[in-house]
Amino acid sequence: MADKSDTAKGTGELAPARAEKVMQVERHDYPDLAPAEGKRTQAMRGFDPIYTDIVDYIVRCTHKIWDERDIGLIYSHYTHNCVLYGTTGTLYTREEVVRDTIQRLVSYPERRGMATQVIWKGNEDDGFYTSHLVTGTGRHTQGGPLGAPTGRMFTSRTIADCMIYENKIYREWVVADTTAILQQLGVDVQAYAERIAKASFDKGVVSLDIGENRHMIGQYPPEAEADTSLASTEVERHTLRWMHDVYNRKMLGTIAKVCAPTVQYHGPLMAELYGVASVIHQTLGLIGSLPDAAFTPQHICSNLCEEGGEKVAVRWIMEGHHLGYGILNHLGAPTGKRVQVMGISHFHYKNGKIVDEWRVYDEASMLVQVKLAQMADAKAATLSAPD
């Protein structure tokens, strides 16, 4: 019987010498993450032989599709009926993903997306889940969805969560900080949101409302205990508990208990802030804009980190109404309109405390929702006005 360590190269067989040692992104260069002749180190039935582990898969195929412009790789890496949830709409077919990718790349011929970290869970039998934080840079040199080229550079963060089975992504959630790009390019954020809202309105969409939230039942206060059924480890349960306390119970002092004094915050609009007070202020500002919002975690996973400690990824939804002032400045004065926020957060714990938080949500998406609701109001007022 042949030694698998000799035959694994290029065949997709598992190399026992490094079995289940999955690469991490943070301290490694791209050639290390996606080696030219790497040996498989993780069981990945059905995946293309070139991939050594699940991190290699998501980093390498993303690089090939977006940076090398091999957009057609989507046909072998997405199912025909994949669902992609974005902050301003949902795509339901592989062909839509191909078209959307082409349009996003049209304006930025120089765009590059660098993997910042990948947090994952799963196995070849159940499938894999990856939460992939990308820092993208580029220059707006071609006309496209954002209008005439400005020639300006941009840097922004995006987190894409993918569910993957045997080489194909069948469900994906993408949260991009669109507003950061618009501001750096000098594009009018209000005009952009107006255009996106008008396109939806013209198709007959009058609201993105998905129903009453569960912030409270009747006149009862928020639930005292977090639902930790999504969690698989103690650090994941701890994360869900404190996030529930902060976002639903409004106990923002909890942040000072779970964060290290030197915590670094990497937030929307490319905010880079330091210290507990900054994290509290940014969180209070988000809640202040949507003070009745219910916070619901939808997925959580974690990995031990080569840098020490653990990293945790949480995908979440906030649903509420624009009833107050906060850090969502583009929304302006409170409108009372219903808003949904899809966000993803990554946390790095060391010695039991959070030393880094990456938080991504799309303020432009919320502005689109407000404008869409205002368009629906205007139409209703016109229809009900006496002749």
Side-chain angles (χ1 to χ4, degrees), residues 106-367:
V106 162
S107 300
Y108 315 122
E110 303 171 26
R111 182 200 179 274
R112 293 292 180 266
M114 295 161 288
T116 303
Q117 59 200 19
V118 177
I119 303 171
W120 65 276
K121 69 184 296 184
N123 55 64
E124 64 178 1
D125 294 323
D126 301 321
F128 293 93
Y129 188 104
T130 59
S131 188
H132 181 193
L133 171 60
V134 175
T135 303
T137 63
R139 188 189 301 273
H140 186 210
T141 59
Q142 298 293 325
L146 297 182
T150 63
R152 295 188 181 185
M153 296 286 295
F154 72 88
T155 302
S156 68
R157 282 185 280 260
T158 299
I159 300 181
D161 281 20
C162 293
M163 299 180 75
I164 311 152
Y165 185 72
E166 295 192 351
N167 208 72
K168 287 186 169 61
I169 296 166
Y170 62 94
R171 196 166 298 164
E172 182 174 8
W173 293 261
V174 179
V175 181
D177 189 359
T178 306
T179 312
I181 298 175
L182 297 175
Q183 285 190 331
Q184 291 171 66
L185 297 185
V187 176
D188 187 326
V189 178
Q190 296 290 334
Y192 168 86
E194 186 84 20
R195 179 166 57 82
I196 299 299
K198 184 65 164 57
S200 295
F201 186 75
D202 288 345
K203 295 176 183 177
V205 178
V206 296
S207 174
L208 299 180
D209 192 350
I210 60 172
E212 181 179 358
N213 68 49
R214 302 296 292 172
H215 184 228
M216 58 185 65
I217 301 174
Q219 299 181 45
Y220 289 96
E223 294 179 357
E225 300 295 330
D227 180 356
T228 60
S229 58
L230 292 174
S232 301
T233 68
E234 184 51 42
V235 72
E236 292 175 12
R237 284 186 282 273
H238 168 67
T239 302
L240 294 180
R241 290 189 190 106
W242 75 253
M243 292 188 86
H244 173 76
D245 286 346
V246 169
Y247 286 96
N248 285 328
R249 298 184 63 228
K250 311 299 190 283
M251 301 290 286
L252 276 83
T254 303
I255 293 172
K257 300 175 183 177
V258 300
C259 289
T262 54
V263 62
Q264 298 187 41
Y265 172 86
H266 320 275
L269 307 183
M270 295 306 293
E272 295 288 347
L273 304 172
Y274 302 89
V276 171
S278 294
V279 180
I280 292 175
H281 178 262
Q282 293 296 301
T283 306
L284 178 62
L286 176 59
I287 293 173
S289 297
L290 311 169
D292 71 335
F295 174 89
T296 306
Q298 295 190 312
H299 189 272
I300 187 168
C301 58
S302 61
N303 298 132
L304 294 174
C305 181
E306 290 179 347
E307 299 173 287
E310 296 178 72
K311 287 194 172 177
V312 179
V314 184
R315 176 168 52 83
W316 47 267
I317 292 286
M318 286 179 67
E319 300 173 69
H321 296 82
H322 180 216
L323 298 173
Y325 290 92
I327 60 173
L328 303 178
N329 294 322
H330 291 99
L331 271 61
T335 62
K337 300 306 179 187
R338 187 174 182 82
V339 173
Q340 302 167 45
V341 186
M342 179 166 68
I344 303 176
S345 298
H346 285 188
F347 304 99
H348 186 187
Y349 287 86
K350 276 188 177 180
N351 300 318
K353 298 287 187 179
I354 295 169
V355 295
D356 280 281
E357 176 184 350
W358 294 262
R359 186 186 303 173
V360 181
Y361 55 79
D362 187 359
E363 186 175 342
S365 166
M366 293 175 254
L367 183 56

